[in-house]
Amino acid sequence: MKTEDRFSLKNQNIIITGGGGKLGFYHAFAILEKKGNPILIDLDKKKLIQNKDKLFELFNKKVSIYKIDLTKKTQLIKFFNHQEKNKIMINALINNADINSKFNDLNENLRIENLNLNFWQKHINAGLTGNFLISSLYYKYLCKFNLTGQIINISSDLGIISPDQRLYKDTKKNFKQQHVKPISYSVVKHGLIGITKYFSTYDTKRLRCNAIAFGGVKVNDKKFEKRVSELIPLNRMANAEEYITTMQYLLSPKSTYVNGSTLIVDGGRTII
Ligand SMILES: NC(=O)c1ccc[n+]([C@@H]2O[C@H](COP(=O)([O-])OP(=O)(O)OC[C@H]3O[C@@H](n4cnc5c(N)ncnc54)[C@H](O)[C@@H]3O)[C@@H](O)[C@H]2O)c1
C-alpha cells in the first residue's frame, strides 16, 4: 500500500490575515510544516517581520508579508493585482485578523453604558467588514482564474457563548466600574459564523467555507488563567500549538466534505 502525507499542502498558497499576530504565527507554522506557502497580511509591519524571522529560523523559508489595512479596499485590490501579476494562484484564505482585546486591555470604558461608538465602529470594521472585503475579492479572484478555493474564518468560543463577565471581576470595584469583554467581540465572532454559512452555500462548485471556534490560549496571568480553567471541562486553557493540526486538517484536501461548519476546539468550554 502506498503511503502519503494525507495533509500535504505542497505548493499551496494560503493567505493569513492578522498574520503578524500570536495565532497568525501558528497558522503559518501549520502551513509551512505541510510544505505550503503562507502569505501574511497585517496592519503591523513590525509584528509581520518578527513572525517572518521566527518562521525563517524554523523552516529556512522566506514567507511573503504584506502591510495592509483590511478595511481599505484599494490596498486589497493592489494586493490581488500583485498576486495576479506574479501568477500566484491562491488556494485558501484564513480570516484571522481581529482587534482581540486581551485581559489587560479590558476596562470600564468597554461597558455597554460607556462604549465609544468609534471603538464599536473600528472593531466591526476590522473584524467583520475587513474580513468580508478580502473574502469577496478572493472569491472574485477565484472566478477570474476559474479556480477552486476555501475560506476559514477564525471565530472563538465567544462566537458560540456569551463572555462570562465574572472572569474579569475586580472585587475592589463596584458593578459600574467592572471591566468587561466588549459587546463588539461577541458581534464579530458570532457574525463570522453567519458569514461562514453564507459563503458555504454561495458557489459550492468553487468555494468551501468553514469557521473554527478556538478557546482561549494560555496567558501570562496565572490568576486569570485559573478562573477561566474552572469553566473548561479539560480544566485548562489551550496551548497555541494544539491549534496547528486543526488548521492542517481543514486546509487539506482530506476535509473536502466539511463545509459551512464551525469546528469547536475549546476543551469543552461551550458545552456547559
Ligand atoms: N488568542 C486567543 O486566545 C484566541 C481565542 C479564540 C479566538 N481567537 C481569535 O484568533 C484570532 C487571532 O487572535 P490572536 O490572539 O492571535 O490576536 P492578535 O491580536 O495577536 O492578532 C490579530 C492581528 O490582527 C491584526 N489586525 C487587526 N486589525 C487589522 C486590520 N484592519 N488589517 C490588518 N490586520 C489587522 C493585528 O494587527 C494583529 O496582529 C482573532 O480572530 C481572535 O479573535 C483568539
Side-chain angles (χ1 to χ4, degrees):
M1 198 165 73
K2 204 171 139 235
T3 59
E4 58 172 333
D5 181 356
R6 291 181 180 275
F7 302 113
S8 172
L9 299 173
K10 200 165 179 190
N11 300 328
Q12 298 225 0
N13 302 308
I14 300 162
I15 301 172
I16 307 170
T17 71
K22 181 170 161 183
L23 290 189
F25 169 82
Y26 288 93
H27 305 330
F29 185 108
I31 295 162
L32 284 163
E33 193 179 53
K34 292 293 167 193
K35 311 274 185 270
N37 308 315
I39 301 168
L40 312 185
I41 288 181
D42 206 291
L43 266 180
D44 190 325
K45 189 151 182 207
K46 215 166 125 196
K47 282 166 63 183
L48 277 171
I49 293 171
Q50 274 169 5
N51 276 355
K52 179 184 173 150
D53 289 349
K54 275 201 285 177
L55 291 163
F56 185 78
E57 263 177 44
L58 290 166
F59 293 96
N60 199 24
K61 192 166 165 181
K62 274 190 187 165
V63 300
S64 309
I65 54 171
Y66 293 85
K67 181 186 180 303
I68 292 174
D69 181 346
L70 286 171
T71 64
K72 305 274 183 324
K73 193 170 180 180
T74 46
Q75 293 185 18
L76 287 169
I77 290 174
K78 211 168 134 198
F79 166 79
F80 280 104
N81 287 342
H82 182 73
Q83 305 307 313
E84 182 180 338
K85 206 170 132 216
N86 291 301
K87 299 194 167 45
I88 298 190
M89 299 296 108
I90 297 164
N91 302 86
L93 162 67
I94 302 171
N95 280 321
N96 167 76
D98 193 9
I99 298 175
N100 189 14
S101 311
K102 307 272 162 29
F103 176 62
N104 289 332
D105 305 330
L106 301 182
N107 59 63
E108 64 189 87
N109 295 329
L110 300 179
R111 299 183 65 79
I112 51 173
E113 311 89 294
N114 308 331
L115 196 79
N116 184 306
L117 204 52
N118 286 337
F119 178 91
W120 165 272
Q121 206 59 62
K122 199 172 156 210
H123 196 173
I124 301 296
N125 280 350
L128 286 179
T129 315
N131 284 342
F132 165 69
L133 268 180
I134 191 167
S135 297
S136 61
L137 290 169
Y138 172 56
Y139 175 64
K140 277 171 104 173
Y141 193 81
L142 293 178
C143 293
K144 187 167 180 186
F145 297 103
N146 199 18
L147 298 169
T148 57
Q150 66 160 318
I151 298 176
I152 297 176
N153 290 317
I154 304 301
S155 183
S156 157
D157 49 2
L158 301 185
I160 314 283
I161 56 173
S162 164
D164 187 334
Q165 307 292 7
R166 292 170 300 182
L167 288 172
Y168 318 108
K169 190 170 175 173
D170 182 341
T171 46
K172 289 188 230 70
K173 294 186 169 173
N174 68 35
F175 180 74
K176 287 194 165 172
Q177 294 167 330
Q178 294 296 337
H179 297 181
V180 295
K181 192 87 174 171
I183 187 169
S184 48
Y185 196 72
S186 289
V187 172
V188 166
K189 293 297 147 187
H190 279 75
L192 279 178
I193 291 176
I195 289 181
T196 300
K197 290 177 184 166
Y198 192 95
F199 268 90
S200 70
T201 57
Y202 194 72
D203 183 352
T204 48
K205 289 205 172 62
R206 197 170 298 288
L207 191 66
R208 210 154 59 90
C209 183
N210 291 289
I212 309 178
F214 287 132
V217 173
K218 285 182 180 164
V219 286
N220 273 339
D221 185 319
K222 290 290 154 212
K223 236 163 104 185
F224 176 69
E225 203 179 303
K226 187 169 175 290
R227 281 193 211 173
V228 181
S229 298
E230 279 162 10
L231 300 177
I232 303 172
L234 287 188
N235 208 26
R236 63 176 177 85
M237 295 182 83
N239 298 308
E241 298 92 72
E242 290 178 292
Y243 293 157
I244 292 173
T245 42
T246 307
M247 189 53 81
Q248 289 172 338
Y249 166 68
L250 263 194
L251 284 172
S252 81
K254 298 297 170 188
S255 65
T256 41
Y257 202 57
V258 185
N259 184 38
S261 71
T262 299
L263 216 58
I264 302 177
V265 188
D266 68 347
R269 165 88 198 268
T270 55
I271 58 155
I272 49 173

